[in-house]
Amino acid sequence: MADAPAGGLAQLAAMQGYFDQAHASRDFRRYTGIGQAEFRRHLNGIAKLMNTL
């Protein structure tokens, strides 16, 4: 993701046992049905909604 800290996604992938970030991204899309950027937009939308309640 564009505003992720340098090495953040790669480090997270490595911590989960993936050899590279690309493989982790493919699995993410396979299991969620959406990409990471779209997931983040949805997540941020939910957080904004919860803050208004």
Side-chain angles (χ1 to χ4, degrees), residues 25 28-40 42:
S25 294
F28 185 90
R29 182 176 291 277
R30 185 173 84 187
Y31 291 117
T32 64
I34 59 176
Q36 296 167 346
E38 187 176 355
F39 182 83
R40 184 175 184 143
H42 286 291

Side-chain angles (χ1 to χ4, degrees), residues 5-26:
L9 293 176
Q11 184 177 6
L12 181 61
M15 290 171 58
Q16 296 303 314
Y18 287 98
F19 181 71
D20 61 8
Q21 180 181 342
H23 187 198
S25 294
R26 283 192 301 271

